[in-house]
Amino acid sequence: MNAELRDDGSFVIHGVLGNTPQAVTLALREVRAHLERRPPLADLDASWEIVVAEVLNNIVEHSYANGSAGRIGLHLAFYPDTLHAEFLDTGLSMPGNAPPQGPAANLDVPTAHLPEGGFGWHLIRTLVTDLDYSCAEGTNRLALEMPLSRAS
């Protein structure tokens, strides 16, 4: 991952990673390390990381579900109070060419009947203020904007 402070005051971290869970873990670790070296950004709460991890893991699990090798482009622009993120991949497009609605799971059931997954898109949609998806010429592009909060 490469990082740079831009003239507009944003701190941009970008790079390309593989489409494996291990590559996602490594990329998140690198992003965190870059942020820790930027005092104004070192005290962000974990919401940015939850969203970025959910999107990256969804790309690995669903976009590249057919087992094909691929890459994921990641562009994160941290502004003082906002994160602008863009994810690019060449895997399968989203069903219906739109991100899932991600309704909240029913948690009022016995523990044995709780869903194992399905929380990601609900969480993403709860935390972001803008979400845009497109697929053109075999490339999926998901862009989002979310407010940044400081850890208490």
Side-chain angles (χ1 to χ4, degrees), residues 46-116:
S47 59
W48 74 266
E49 190 169 1
I50 291 168
V51 168
V52 172
E54 279 294 330
V55 170
L56 291 174
N57 285 317
N58 280 335
I59 292 170
V60 169
E61 186 176 342
H62 301 289
S63 186
Y64 290 110
N66 60 6
S68 62
R71 312 298 274 164
I72 302 169
L74 176 64
H75 181 93
L76 305 173
F78 290 87
Y79 292 86
D81 297 314
T82 309
L83 168 63
H84 296 252
E86 181 178 65
F87 308 83
L88 301 169
D89 72 80
T90 56
L92 301 171
S93 61
M94 288 193 189
N97 285 317
Q101 287 303 311
N106 179 10
L107 302 179
D108 191 23
V109 296
T111 304
H113 297 279
L114 286 171
E116 217 175 284

Side-chain angles (χ1 to χ4, degrees), residues 21-63:
Q22 298 81 5
V24 169
T25 299
L26 180 60
L28 291 169
R29 190 176 300 140
E30 287 183 49
V31 171
R32 258 187 265 115
H34 282 298
L35 293 176
E36 287 169 1
R37 292 190 288 270
R38 305 284 322 157
L41 297 171
D43 66 344
L44 293 176
D45 74 6
S47 59
W48 74 266
E49 190 169 1
I50 291 168
V51 168
V52 172
E54 279 294 330
V55 170
L56 291 174
N57 285 317
N58 280 335
I59 292 170
V60 169
E61 186 176 342
H62 301 289
S63 186

Side-chain angles (χ1 to χ4, degrees), residues 47 50-52 54-55 58 94-104 118-134 142-147:
S47 59
I50 291 168
V51 168
V52 172
E54 279 294 330
V55 170
N58 280 335
M94 288 193 189
N97 285 317
Q101 287 303 311
F119 297 97
W121 278 105
H122 176 71
L123 189 60
I124 291 167
R125 287 185 177 277
T126 299
L127 294 171
V128 305
T129 54
D130 190 36
L131 188 63
D132 181 60
Y133 171 77
S134 62
L142 181 72
L144 61 85
E145 183 176 311
M146 68 176 290

